[in-house]
Amino acid sequence: MACVYRAERGGRAVAVKVRRPGAGAAIAADLAVLRAVAAVAARLPALRRVPFLEIVDQVGDCLMAQLDFGAEAANLRRLHDDLAEVPGVVVPRPVPELCGDGIIAMEFIEGLDRGAIDSLPARVREAQITSLVHAVYRMLFIEGFLHIDLHQGNTYFMPDGTVVLLDAGLVFRMSAEARERFTGFFAGMIRGDGEVCADILLSTVRRTESETNIEAFRGEVSDLVMRNVGMVARDFDLPAFCLDLFDLQRKYRLYAEPEFIFPMLCLLTLQGVVKRHHPMMDFQLEAAPFVMHGLLVTSGATG
């Protein structure tokens, strides 16, 4: 998509992200292939109601949006502002006067090292992981503005104990309704209330068939949630949970809101580093204050 360079302007170091020529055409071609495959898959009897095309379109919109560097600069500024209240998290601010078509200039942060976290004391690593998790939870449950590309090239752990987050190109804005429902689903998991989780999934289903056994679906979703309640990061297998949840939707042909894919992707990119460096973190319990805040924001907006 782009390359990043260190540059200087008036004695000031800046990082400059430059869009690669032809990136848009390459992405458009890839998406055309994905849409063709999705259209074929959607015709298969077992997958006929899976919203493949809608999923591909939503992911495709996110990818194509990365070509708009003006929007990305604005996203970077929003990410900086949204996470300013999270202790220990740093997001570089854009330099508006140096940004242009295909170019984003931002604050340059010295000393970024992908392997630095491995040499830090355990207590420092665990504190940094906690800060990162809190930043993601704030984005998920309060702001509804998701960074869904938090791989090791965009997340750095500094010797001073701070965490640096880069690159606001691949982001997703959840609708207010989707954020409310996802927050409610997570609240149900924290409380161990599988029936609430099942009801929230059902509330997003667009069509049901007369022969669908709704109560059986509710029971299996509830059981899945209960099997995963209260697990520390070491034991909670989020990819397996997501696959089991999707498999239940496929089994009963009850497909939840496609927007739920994006917060799941956000959490999936996060879980690996949490498991490795803070395996005893209660991944769900850490979310509790942010979930509560998110629910209060929702109730205030609708009250």
Side-chain angles (χ1 to χ4, degrees):
M1 176 66 71
C3 293
V4 182
Y5 304 91
R6 185 185 188 278
E8 290 192 4
R9 175 71 178 265
R12 175 189 185 185
V14 292
V16 181
K17 181 176 180 178
V18 182
R19 187 173 60 221
R20 289 179 180 272
I27 293 173
D30 289 343
L31 288 174
V33 173
L34 281 175
R35 287 190 180 98
V37 172
V40 172
R43 294 191 184 99
L44 299 176
L47 302 174
R48 191 160 291 156
R49 296 189 58 197
V50 181
F52 282 125
L53 285 171
E54 188 170 350
I55 291 169
V56 170
D57 285 342
Q58 288 191 354
V59 173
D61 288 345
C62 282
L63 293 173
M64 293 302 290
Q66 290 186 90
L67 298 169
D68 186 345
F69 275 25
E72 182 175 342
N75 291 337
L76 187 63
R77 181 66 197 218
R78 176 174 174 180
L79 195 65
H80 173 276
D81 294 345
D82 285 350
L83 299 182
E85 297 179 11
V86 180
V89 175
V90 175
V91 179
R93 286 175 295 189
V95 183
E97 64 271 21
L98 300 181
C99 296
D101 182 30
I103 297 175
I104 302 172
M106 67 199 81
E107 294 175 312
F108 187 87
I109 298 177
E110 298 281 357
L112 299 181
D113 180 357
R114 293 181 184 180
I117 190 171
D118 294 314
S119 63
L120 297 174
R123 60 177 181 80
V124 175
R125 292 201 306 267
E126 291 179 359
Q128 289 176 309
I129 293 298
T130 299
S131 294
L132 174 61
V133 168
H134 288 178
V136 170
Y137 284 161
R138 181 175 182 85
M139 288 188 281
L140 276 175
F141 303 119
I142 299 173
E143 306 298 341
F145 181 70
L146 313 182
H147 191 313
I148 53 179
D149 200 21
L150 290 174
H151 55 73
Q152 64 176 2
N154 289 336
T155 309
Y156 292 86
F157 301 88
M158 308 296 283
D160 65 359
T162 59
V163 181
V164 178
L165 303 183
L166 304 177
D167 197 343
L170 195 56
V171 300
F172 183 75
R173 294 171 177 82
M174 297 180 73
S175 67
E177 186 176 35
R179 184 189 65 78
E180 177 185 356
R181 286 172 169 169
F182 187 80
T183 302
F185 183 89
F186 219 89
M189 287 197 67
I190 294 170
R191 297 194 306 268
D193 193 337
E195 291 187 359
V196 163
C197 294
D199 288 340
I200 288 172
L201 288 179
L202 284 169
S203 73
T204 73
V205 171
R206 296 172 185 179
R207 185 168 64 89
T208 59
E209 298 173 359
S210 58
E211 66 272 18
T212 300
N213 191 333
I214 300 295
E215 288 307 310
F217 175 77
R218 292 179 76 249
E220 291 203 50
V221 170
S222 180
D223 180 63
L224 174 63
V225 169
M226 293 305 297
R227 294 199 308 269
N228 288 275
V229 166
M231 289 186 176
V232 296
R234 179 190 62 194
D235 301 322
F236 182 47
D237 190 341
L238 182 60
F241 176 82
C242 292
L243 286 173
D244 287 344
L245 192 60
F246 185 80
D247 193 52
L248 286 176
Q249 295 178 62
R250 181 198 58 78
K251 177 180 176 181
Y252 289 95
R253 297 192 176 187
L254 295 170
Y255 295 100
E257 173 57 56
E259 277 193 57
F260 276 21
I261 288 173
F262 293 94
M264 290 296 189
L265 285 174
C266 183
L267 291 175
L268 284 168
T269 59
L270 178 67
Q271 193 194 30
V273 70
V274 176
K275 275 193 168 186
R276 181 177 178 184
H277 296 293
H278 198 343
M280 298 308 294
M281 171 184 281
D282 189 326
F283 203 62
Q284 297 168 31
L285 191 59
E286 286 291 333
F290 298 92
V291 167
M292 182 61 69
H293 189 169
L295 293 175
L296 288 173
V297 168
T298 299
S299 63
T302 58

